[in-house]
Amino acid sequence: MTNQKIDIEKIILRKLKVRMKNPFKTSFGSQQDRQLYIVEVIDSKQRSGWGETVAGTFPWYSEETVETNRHIIEEVLIPLLRQAPISHPDELMERFSKVKGNNMAKAALEGAIWDLYARQNHMTLVEAIGGTKEKIEVGVSIGLQESEEKLLELVGTYIKLGYKRVKLKIEPGNDLEVVKSVRKAYPDINLMVDANSAYTLEDAEHLAKLDEFNLMMIEQPLAHNDIIDHSELQARIKTPICLDESLHSLEDVKKAIKLKSCKIVNLKIGRVGGISESKKIHDYCLENGISLWCGGMLELGIGRAHNIAITSLAGFDLPGDTSASSNYWDEDIISPEVTVENGLISIPSGHGIGYDINHETLRKFTIDEKIIEMQPSNASLS
Ligand code: OSB
Ligand code: MG
């Protein structure tokens, strides 16, 4: 590593609008049209680093949205970045620390700078963060379906494709019977469920009925901001609880583990505010023998590439949600797109995120673009 400053000349914020192949339905809603921002940081040698926002159009998953991401990136984080150069992306945690929350906004800009930093230093993002794997194991997340037949058919398709585990979305009224029939049809697969906060502690006895289906875990059964009731629920059910929505930082993970609110951690780079925080959570889980996997937010290729890079760290010991690009998209903004073979993604060898940008599709999906110059300015943030 060098002590050289990371040179950033300008930043381009592009707003994209893309339609997914199929609607994706969870307990909090259904979506098919995604909007997101792509962050491109460009240095004086015209090298680029790339990041992608993951918030939804509406705040159904978390408080952040596509437009709060833009507001915070453009009007808060970039002015903070402009105040003084940095030598390493890890310094951004401190620089952005006075900004409460808004982790997805932080992660998109931080991720782009990580990518640029790796490219400036002629290495892969995987090397820059200390990843060790050459291939990663992946599973798939299946949204709520219209019928049980359709669901069984989809599970069969993914199993044939080699995915290492299947995650089913559940909600009240759409849970025990569904899991029972999938388990009956596929007695041996790695199976788990995700409730996206659809239950309360009053459902504890009901959720305990899932214990007989030998699930790897139940993800986020209770409120999005809870770690107390999850602790009580975990004491009452055998199925391991995995937290998603409730974990925003290493501090959150430590507290959830201490309270026995979960046994497994779902890490999303956006939800925890970036790669630097993700590394810390990873290190903690590895040192303490806590199972960890990388979640997904229906990302396009740039977000997918960041997920693949973080999953190369040794402590990601369970298959994540990063499926093939073609699972969601007709075309991707990276080339080649992400492919899965026998449930494995091969880590690309190119510098930075390792995938090229497909400028043609990027242009096609872009509905707005703004160029922000990075010369130091005296503009105050007070
Ligand atoms: O809870 O993990 C979740 C998608 C959007 C928001 C939240 C979640 C999900 C998924 C899909 O489960 C994961 C993916 O394939 O990207
Ligand atoms: Mg989840």
Side-chain angles (χ1 to χ4, degrees), residues 14-20 34-38 51-54 296-308 322-326 328-334 336-338 353 355 357 361-362 364-366:
R14 291 182 181 84
K15 185 173 187 177
L16 271 60
K17 189 175 171 198
V18 206
R19 194 167 178 80
M20 300 196 299
R34 278 216 61 210
Q35 295 195 350
L36 54 104
Y37 281 88
I38 296 295
E52 177 177 326
T53 65
V54 298
M297 291 292 286
L298 310 172
E299 292 91 346
L300 271 169
I302 292 170
R304 237 160 255 280
H306 283 270
N307 290 347
I308 292 164
T322 307
S323 53
S325 300
S326 63
Y328 294 117
W329 312 107
D330 286 316
E331 300 171 274
D332 206 339
I333 56 172
I334 55 166
E337 59 177 44
V338 174
I353 59 173
Y355 294 87
I357 301 303
T361 39
L362 180 65
K364 197 160 92 183
F365 296 155
T366 299

Side-chain angles (χ1 to χ4, degrees), residues 8 53 65 71 93 101 105 125 158 210 215 224 235 256 264 283 299 306 320 335 338 349 364 371:
I8 303 176
T53 65
T65 69
H71 162 60
M93 277 177 59
L125 178 56
Y158 288 122
L210 287 169
L215 300 177
H224 73 98
I264 300 173
D283 294 351
E299 292 91 346
H306 283 270
S335 174
V338 174
S349 56
K364 197 160 92 183
I371 301 174

Side-chain angles (χ1 to χ4, degrees), residues 1-6 86-88 91 121:
M1 309 292 140
T2 62
N3 251 334
Q4 232 174 316
K5 301 295 180 196
I6 302 176
I86 54 164
S87 310
H88 189 277
E91 292 166 32
N121 289 281

Side-chain angles (χ1 to χ4, degrees), residues 24 28 61 141 167 169 194 196 219 244-245 266 268 296-299 321 323 328:
F24 190 85
F28 61 76
Y61 168 84
S141 175
K167 163 167 139 184
K169 294 288 185 176
D194 184 359
N196 288 107
E219 189 178 335
D244 172 356
E245 282 90 332
N266 168 328
K268 292 178 181 172
M297 291 292 286
L298 310 172
E299 292 91 346
D321 267 349
S323 53
Y328 294 117

